[in-house]
Amino acid sequence: MPAINFKVIKQDGTTAARLGSLTTPHGNIETPIFMPVGTQATVKAMTPEELRQVGAQIILANTYHLYIRPGHELIGRLGGLHEFMHWSGPILTDSGGFQVFSLGELRKISEDGVRFQSHLDGSYHFISPENAMAIQEALGGDIIMCFDECPPYPSEYAYVEKSLGLTTRWARRCKEAHARPDQALFGIVQGGMHRELRVRSATELMEIGFDGYALGGLSVGEEKELMYEVMGYCAPILPVHQPRYVMGIGAPEDLIEGIHAGFDMFDCVMPTRNARNGMLFTSFGRVNIKGAAYAEDRAPIDPECDCYVCNNYSRAYLRHLYRSGEILASRLNTWHNLHYYLDLMDQARKAIGAGRFGEFRKEFYAKRSSM
């Protein structure tokens, strides 16, 4: 029996958007879906119960950070991530490849894997594809990711091509080392912004065979148009009856374009990180709650939003909390932002179900441009 079961329920009539159902050992997920990021086994400022209230179906945890602290072996001894963090729903763990990429001078890449220094104490560590599988198996996520190299942008073609070869070889080693049948393993398509390399990467990964396929190496500094172009030509070459995941993209318009291209899963720290910095997402665009214009504003963040925060608190109060450095500011702002993201996914699913995602997409942009 496969670890997951994915079904395309309905294909939108005029776009590549699709409505799906993804069954995992810890529950069913309706797609397209956004996954809140719980980097260190917590979605910052939110309890698991609150995540359920805002509509979270699956969350993401970070392999690199949990390996560094408190350690995957400790989490494994304590029952895995689900028990450790009191989250009963599905969990996806990333491979740690992007975080290692982000370390820059603190890491050295070789055929065997990556040697790097901890961002916490400077201690040296080594992660290979085999280590990445062992770490993620101890963490116990429902979906785990192959260890990959994420090339920076911009990069020379020769470097991206060489990096792609390494990612494919590591993917093969990951599959060979993958031991837990209750965990689905996704391959990660790399290749920078070069179409022929992206096609090559996808083809090589499909030849190896994975439970799902992710698009990595986006939102690393490229222009939006280029990001959307890559999503547009990558989705059609990935298997129709397996989940498609774009890693690390997170502006609302990015999600809409990803769904439009035919992808099913997304994650990003943007709604939670921006919440802690006073940036709120609404149906008409972004609101910087720090602004003096909101000092006496009795309106909710978004008059069209029915979340707990918009039903109970004013912009004036949220501005006061933020400027006072109150913990409640992060909690309420995060609650609203995650509700906005997850409600946007719900609206997208309903639009696909009704065969009108193209119209929904136009309405999304029209509402934001009219304010």
Side-chain angles (χ1 to χ4, degrees), residues 196-229:
E196 63 275 22
L197 295 184
R198 287 286 184 177
V199 172
R200 183 192 307 178
S201 177
T203 302
E204 291 173 352
L205 291 175
M206 289 187 289
E207 288 173 354
I208 298 170
F210 292 97
D211 298 305
Y213 297 87
L215 203 56
L218 291 180
S219 196
V220 289
E222 77 280 6
E223 301 81 2
K224 294 273 192 184
E225 292 75 12
L226 191 51
M227 177 199 299
Y228 300 159
E229 180 184 341

Side-chain angles (χ1 to χ4, degrees), residues 30-51:
E30 297 176 330
T31 63
I33 190 62
F34 177 81
M35 299 179 284
V37 176
T39 301
Q40 305 198 67
T42 173
V43 177
K44 288 180 173 61
M46 299 287 283
T47 68
E49 291 79 10
E50 290 165 344
L51 288 172

Side-chain angles (χ1 to χ4, degrees), residues 234-255:
C234 282
I237 61 178
L238 295 174
V240 172
H241 299 294
Q242 289 177 282
R244 304 166 178 164
Y245 165 29
V246 185
M247 306 182 75
I249 70 165
E253 59 271 19
D254 300 344
L255 305 185

Side-chain angles (χ1 to χ4, degrees), residues 146-212:
C146 284
F147 194 57
D148 64 323
E149 187 197 354
C150 179
Y153 176 81
S155 292
E156 294 291 334
Y157 183 94
Y159 177 86
V160 178
E161 185 175 31
K162 181 180 178 181
S163 171
L164 164 58
L166 185 63
T167 287
T168 299
R169 294 191 295 276
W170 282 359
R172 187 172 289 108
R173 287 166 58 186
C174 284
K175 184 169 182 181
E176 292 171 354
H178 179 219
R180 282 187 59 168
D182 61 335
Q183 290 182 310
L185 177 62
F186 282 23
I188 303 177
V189 177
Q190 290 288 357
M193 307 303 153
H194 306 286
R195 183 169 187 156
E196 63 275 22
L197 295 184
R198 287 286 184 177
V199 172
R200 183 192 307 178
S201 177
T203 302
E204 291 173 352
L205 291 175
M206 289 187 289
E207 288 173 354
I208 298 170
F210 292 97
D211 298 305

Side-chain angles (χ1 to χ4, degrees), residues 44-46 50 272 275-277 317-318 320-335:
K44 288 180 173 61
M46 299 287 283
E50 290 165 344
T272 47
R276 299 192 301 278
N277 292 323
Y317 182 63
L318 294 172
H320 158 69
L321 291 177
Y322 184 86
R323 293 185 63 83
S324 301
E326 287 292 337
I327 294 171
L328 187 57
S330 291
R331 286 185 39 72
L332 295 181
N333 290 350
T334 301
W335 186 302

Side-chain angles (χ1 to χ4, degrees), residues 21-297:
S21 174
L22 175 60
T23 303
T24 77
H26 284 88
N28 186 66
I29 302 159
E30 297 176 330
T31 63
I33 190 62
F34 177 81
M35 299 179 284
V37 176
T39 301
Q40 305 198 67
T42 173
V43 177
K44 288 180 173 61
M46 299 287 283
T47 68
E49 291 79 10
E50 290 165 344
L51 288 172
R52 286 292 192 191
Q53 289 181 57
V54 297
Q57 300 182 51
I58 175 174
I59 62 173
L60 180 146
N62 185 263
T63 295
Y64 165 80
H65 286 283
L66 294 174
Y67 163 77
I68 293 293
R69 180 177 59 192
H72 62 288
E73 293 173 337
L74 182 150
I75 292 174
R77 290 194 299 272
L78 294 176
L81 275 175
H82 292 91
E83 187 172 337
F84 186 58
M85 68 180 293
H86 180 54
W87 170 258
S88 60
I91 296 175
L92 181 147
T93 52
D94 64 12
S95 70
F98 182 78
Q99 281 68 35
V100 170
F101 148 76
S102 301
L103 292 172
E105 298 299 319
L106 297 177
R107 54 102 169 113
K108 183 177 181 181
I109 301 169
S110 69
E111 184 69 35
D112 292 335
V114 182
R115 185 172 185 263
F116 61 93
Q117 285 181 268
S118 164
H119 70 288
L120 294 178
D121 60 12
S123 58
Y124 283 93
H125 301 266
F126 178 79
I127 292 183
S128 66
E130 292 77 13
N131 295 147
M133 292 297 95
I135 294 166
Q136 292 184 82
E137 286 172 4
L139 294 176
D142 299 87
I143 300 172
I144 66 176
M145 306 300 298
C146 284
F147 194 57
D148 64 323
E149 187 197 354
C150 179
Y153 176 81
S155 292
E156 294 291 334
Y157 183 94
Y159 177 86
V160 178
E161 185 175 31
K162 181 180 178 181
S163 171
L164 164 58
L166 185 63
T167 287
T168 299
R169 294 191 295 276
W170 282 359
R172 187 172 289 108
R173 287 166 58 186
C174 284
K175 184 169 182 181
E176 292 171 354
H178 179 219
R180 282 187 59 168
D182 61 335
Q183 290 182 310
L185 177 62
F186 282 23
I188 303 177
V189 177
Q190 290 288 357
M193 307 303 153
H194 306 286
R195 183 169 187 156
E196 63 275 22
L197 295 184
R198 287 286 184 177
V199 172
R200 183 192 307 178
S201 177
T203 302
E204 291 173 352
L205 291 175
M206 289 187 289
E207 288 173 354
I208 298 170
F210 292 97
D211 298 305
Y213 297 87
L215 203 56
L218 291 180
S219 196
V220 289
E222 77 280 6
E223 301 81 2
K224 294 273 192 184
E225 292 75 12
L226 191 51
M227 177 199 299
Y228 300 159
E229 180 184 341
V230 173
M231 291 193 297
Y233 62 66
C234 282
I237 61 178
L238 295 174
V240 172
H241 299 294
Q242 289 177 282
R244 304 166 178 164
Y245 165 29
V246 185
M247 306 182 75
I249 70 165
E253 59 271 19
D254 300 344
L255 305 185
I256 294 296
E257 294 309 308
I259 295 170
H260 181 260
F263 285 93
D264 312 296
M265 303 168 67
F266 309 90
D267 81 279
C268 191
V269 298
M270 187 173 286
T272 47
R273 180 177 291 168
N274 278 355
R276 299 192 301 278
N277 292 323
M279 183 68 72
L280 305 176
F281 294 93
T282 75
S283 58
F284 52 84
R286 302 182 189 190
V287 169
N288 184 343
I289 203 63
K290 301 186 288 286
Y294 304 114
E296 298 186 38
D297 193 335

